[in-house]
Amino acid sequence: MGDRLKLVLLGPPGAGKGTQSVVLSRKYNIPHISTGDILREAVKSSQALGIKAKAFMDRGELVPDEIVTGIVIDRLSKKDAKKGFILDGFPRTLKQARSLDESLKNISSGIDIVIYFETSSKVAIERLSGRRVCKKCGFNYHIKNIPPKKDGICDKCGGELFQRPDDKEETVVNRLKIYEAETKPLIDYYVKKGILKKVSGGLSVDNLFKVLSNIFADAKLV
Ligand code: AP5
Ligand code: MG
């Protein structure tokens, strides 16, 4: 199981990529590699990488390709990524996609499947404005859709919940604009390669998980 699942999740901010990654990673026992999470961790611990990335992230802009691509290639070379992985939030530009293809040539066969979470701006904005994240363990909630049992407190570890600084309305608008301009062209890029599958990001967490599990099984990837 999980031997061949090299997966990319593509979709706008708020589509639910991170949420599905957590459950898929557990089910198929493959690492969840989120460039957003890696960058946020670097910001939190004031690493040089974090200091460079913070200004871009706060404005809702993309961190330069060279920086992000280096992080991912490094991460993919680790032992646990050999049997499969979930890339969440990478690639996000055509340049990143080409660099990924190039680097996978050296370490394994290429990406098996790209899942595009088709999601309206309305749903994306509603999801982002209601997102709350645990300060301690990073688990994501949504004040309406996936509320914690106790307001402001993580069910899993008791940590305090906070709003991501880039989930403020003005930053969200910019993130969506940049998604349209920089990341949407990747849909075509992967359609042409014959590995893109479109799903509805508007489904519930459980239903989307079922749809995805069926897609991987039908494609004999698991
Ligand atoms: P990143 O952290 O990747 O943010 P993003 O792509 O904008 O995506 P989000 O994490 O906001 O959304 P998601 O799809 O993961 O949704 P989630 O599951 O949390 O990137 C942050 C920044 O880092 C970027 O702006 C950029 O600066 C930089 N960066 C990262 N990668 C980069 C790259 N490759 N190149 C350059 N720069 C990069 O769900 C959202 C909410 O909805 C949650 O509250 C959740 O509980 C809820 N929810 C989820 N699924 C459902 C559902 N099915 N039904 C109801 N509610 C749901
Ligand atoms: Mg995410």
Side-chain angles (χ1 to χ4, degrees):
M1 199 193 250
D3 277 0
R4 298 170 53 206
L5 190 55
K6 299 191 186 72
L7 173 64
V8 166
L9 302 186
L10 184 66
K17 306 180 295 295
T19 302
Q20 290 299 324
S21 294
V22 171
V23 272
L24 292 171
S25 163
R26 201 177 310 134
K27 174 164 180 179
Y28 298 114
N29 192 27
I30 48 176
H32 167 206
I33 303 173
S34 155
T35 40
D37 287 351
I38 295 171
L39 292 167
R40 273 185 294 278
E41 201 46 54
V43 170
K44 207 163 118 190
S45 53
S46 305
Q47 294 165 36
L49 163 68
I51 293 164
K52 265 191 232 155
K54 187 174 185 309
F56 295 101
M57 296 173 81
D58 284 349
R59 291 193 297 263
E61 288 169 13
L62 295 181
V63 173
D65 288 332
E66 313 74 69
I67 297 181
V68 186
T69 303
I71 297 174
V72 172
I73 291 173
D74 219 47
R75 182 64 187 84
L76 289 179
S77 68
K78 300 254 155 71
K79 200 172 158 219
D80 67 339
K82 298 287 176 237
K83 58 180 176 146
F85 50 77
I86 304 167
L87 280 176
D88 159 17
F90 182 94
R92 233 160 157 120
T93 63
L94 280 169
K95 200 164 167 214
Q96 290 178 15
R98 291 190 185 112
S99 305
L100 176 65
D101 285 345
E102 197 51 42
S103 73
L104 286 177
K105 263 196 219 156
N106 305 324
I107 46 178
S108 66
S109 55
I111 295 297
D112 294 312
I113 189 160
V114 176
I115 303 287
Y116 165 45
F117 288 49
E118 191 179 42
T119 315
S120 68
S121 309
K122 189 167 165 260
V123 167
I125 290 168
E126 185 266 334
R127 296 250 183 100
L128 295 174
S129 62
R131 172 163 54 193
R132 296 294 181 273
V133 183
C134 175
K135 254 187 191 157
K136 230 162 117 188
C137 74
F139 195 80
N140 280 17
Y141 295 86
H142 187 280
I143 48 172
K144 279 199 211 120
N145 307 341
I146 307 157
K149 290 198 184 86
K150 240 199 210 165
D151 254 8
I153 305 289
C154 178
D155 295 347
K156 313 243 171 229
C157 75
E160 191 190 330
L161 305 186
F162 76 110
Q163 184 169 35
R164 252 169 63 175
D166 61 344
D167 281 347
K168 286 184 306 245
E169 203 182 321
E170 51 299 1
T171 319
V172 164
V173 170
N174 203 30
R175 283 163 65 199
L176 288 168
K177 238 194 258 166
I178 288 177
Y179 168 78
E180 289 290 323
E182 302 280 344
T183 309
K184 247 189 156 176
L186 291 183
I187 297 170
D188 225 36
Y189 179 82
Y190 288 118
V191 164
K192 284 191 183 127
K193 286 183 179 288
I195 55 171
L196 188 116
K197 272 272 178 196
K198 185 163 81 176
V199 299
S200 167
L203 296 175
S204 72
V205 175
D206 288 352
N207 284 340
L208 185 49
F209 177 61
K210 278 182 206 142
V211 168
L212 293 176
S213 304
N214 288 337
I215 288 175
F216 304 144
D218 288 348
K220 301 203 169 22
L221 292 170
V222 291

